[in-house]
Amino acid sequence: MISMILILNHKGDIMISRQYRDDVSRAAADSFRLQVIAAKETGTQAPVKRIENCSFLYTRHLNMYFVALTRSNVNPALVFEYLFQKIRILKAYLGEEFDENSMRNNMTLIYELMDETMDFGYPQNCAVDVLRLYINLGNIRQQDEPDTSQLTSQITGAIDWRREGIRHKRNEVYIDVLESVNLLMSSTGDILRNEVTAQVQMNTKLTGMPECKFGLNDKLVIEKETNQN
């Protein structure tokens, strides 16, 4: 997964760095500075660069570069989603137009956020509302302290995506299973490729967080096999 996160300014100087695995070093930032920033590739080339068996995935906010380094075969969509979420979190804490100065004035806060949102290279909780419960710019909250058990449940990602107080007159769940059969044939009738793709779409109207169990009805399959025999 992700080995290191770097935040660099427009000159390529390291502002923030957090190493999650020991297979890369800060020296890799020099390669990124020379081959990407100095070469002015940003905006003209894909935001993925392979340098010395290390992949650099990056995005920009104003004049700063948010860079993820990895030596493994990661899902790039996941890495970019984490970088975008990281920028969204910093906007919530530092303001929409946070710059290099605001980053340098809040180094402790930023490192706390980096430690809470990633563990050993795996993205963790990136919900701003949950992060604010226990990372609040060092201000001590004397009132309305969250319940410890509830806070732990939210931090582990159990219900951070669902707000409290949701009520419905009737508990209903609508499930649609959509299947698509794709077939590619040559002019002579030979099958070149065939595949079946499926997706499950759900529309839930449930009060609270009830425990639900679902299963697919195989009655039709059993009856078809019985008729064939």
Side-chain angles (χ1 to χ4, degrees), residues 26 31 46 48 51 63 69 71 80 108 137 146 150 166 169-170 174 198 211 215 218:
R26 285 170 58 100
S31 301
V48 179
I51 305 174
N63 62 342
L69 288 69
R71 290 189 182 275
F80 282 115
T108 302
L137 296 173
Q150 180 182 3
I166 296 178
K169 293 182 179 180
R170 297 177 58 184
Y174 300 93
E211 181 179 352
D218 57 356

Side-chain angles (χ1 to χ4, degrees), residues 66-117:
F66 289 73
V67 188
L69 288 69
T70 179
R71 290 189 182 275
S72 59
N73 185 22
V74 301
N75 183 350
L78 185 147
V79 177
F80 282 115
E81 178 63 21
Y82 174 78
L83 294 177
F84 296 150
Q85 290 291 337
K86 174 62 68 176
I87 295 176
R88 183 177 66 88
I89 292 171
L90 292 176
K91 286 182 178 180
Y93 276 90
L94 306 178
E96 287 290 329
E97 300 297 328
F98 69 91
D99 55 10
E100 183 176 347
N101 292 330
S102 59
M103 293 278 289
R104 296 187 184 278
N105 294 333
N106 295 275
M107 300 287 283
T108 302
L109 169 65
I110 295 173
Y111 276 110
E112 287 185 10
L113 292 172
M114 297 189 74
D115 290 338
E116 293 295 340
T117 56

